[in-house]
Amino acid sequence: MFKSIAPVFFRAFYGKIASPFFHVKSKKRRFADGWATENEVRIAKTAITKGSATVVKGTGNCLVIGEGAKFSGSVAVSGNGNRVAIGDNCNFRGDILVRGDYQTVSFGDHSTSAGIYILCQENRNVLIGKWCMFSREIEIRTTDAHSVVDRDTGQRLNSPGDVIVGDHVWVGVGSILNKGSIVPSDSIVGAMSFVNRGFEEEGIILAGTPAQIVKRNITWNRSRKASFPLDELYHWKAED
């Protein structure tokens, strides 16, 4: 038996043929290997990335991940001149899909997400401020991805729209921020809510389907205490 396997063993050892005794490891794929040439990528040295960043097609696209940021998930871009920016000291978990040209997806400094899907399409933008906190199973989308059409006129009824989230916004689990949503700074979106329009008043709680204001004159904090000094509540306004 030894004679029958010995030649295979030694030839495999010297790399001349494949053998069931050896496993050849492929080169480990780096996060931005799929970010094609003629596109720009700037990842800070202190950033930690896991997943993939890919330009499916297009040129002039830019990906920026800031100092101290943690990114786990994927970025996929099809189009030209788009910009995806993850700010400093962020912790982003999720997936970003950009289709079209000259659009921006920004995730502000110190913001976090436990699980988020962002669809940016039809020449619209997703702009998320600083110090935000997103839970899991959240969708943000600038488009319905398909058309709703008036049967008499043939006109499309569900136009796309930007999604804008201010600073220090907490978005609860399972929420959807649909096209045209504006969530003002220092506000909360309750779990499983569907936001589909703009709001202007800060310090509110939005909840329901569709979302509406259910409480005013609030703020929030990541920690759990009976009371808070004002400087702790409004640290996000004082810090860059």
Side-chain angles (χ1 to χ4, degrees), residues 100-146:
D101 301 324
Y102 305 105
Q103 302 162 119
T104 296
V105 174
S106 62
F107 195 74
D109 297 346
H110 308 286
S111 293
T112 65
S113 69
I116 186 172
Y117 169 71
I118 297 175
L119 172 61
C120 183
Q121 196 172 11
E122 295 199 76
N123 303 112
R124 295 297 186 266
N125 306 300
V126 175
L127 308 176
I128 297 170
K130 301 178 180 180
W131 297 101
C132 292
M133 181 173 69
F134 291 81
S135 185
R136 65 188 186 280
E137 299 173 17
I138 291 169
E139 285 200 20
I140 298 177
R141 48 196 309 135
T142 63
T143 173
D144 291 331
H146 306 285

Side-chain angles (χ1 to χ4, degrees), residues 74-174:
S74 67
V75 180
V77 175
S78 296
N80 304 295
N82 297 289
R83 177 180 173 84
V84 176
I86 306 298
D88 295 341
N89 302 306
C90 288
N91 191 341
F92 182 97
R93 296 180 184 179
D95 301 292
I96 300 172
L97 177 59
V98 181
R99 292 175 174 171
D101 301 324
Y102 305 105
Q103 302 162 119
T104 296
V105 174
S106 62
F107 195 74
D109 297 346
H110 308 286
S111 293
T112 65
S113 69
I116 186 172
Y117 169 71
I118 297 175
L119 172 61
C120 183
Q121 196 172 11
E122 295 199 76
N123 303 112
R124 295 297 186 266
N125 306 300
V126 175
L127 308 176
I128 297 170
K130 301 178 180 180
W131 297 101
C132 292
M133 181 173 69
F134 291 81
S135 185
R136 65 188 186 280
E137 299 173 17
I138 291 169
E139 285 200 20
I140 298 177
R141 48 196 309 135
T142 63
T143 173
D144 291 331
H146 306 285
S147 297
V148 178
V149 182
D150 186 292
R151 295 175 68 178
D152 294 326
T153 66
Q155 296 298 308
R156 183 183 180 187
L157 302 176
N158 57 337
S159 299
D162 295 339
V163 176
I164 301 173
V165 179
D167 295 332
H168 198 246
V169 171
W170 172 11
V171 180
V173 60

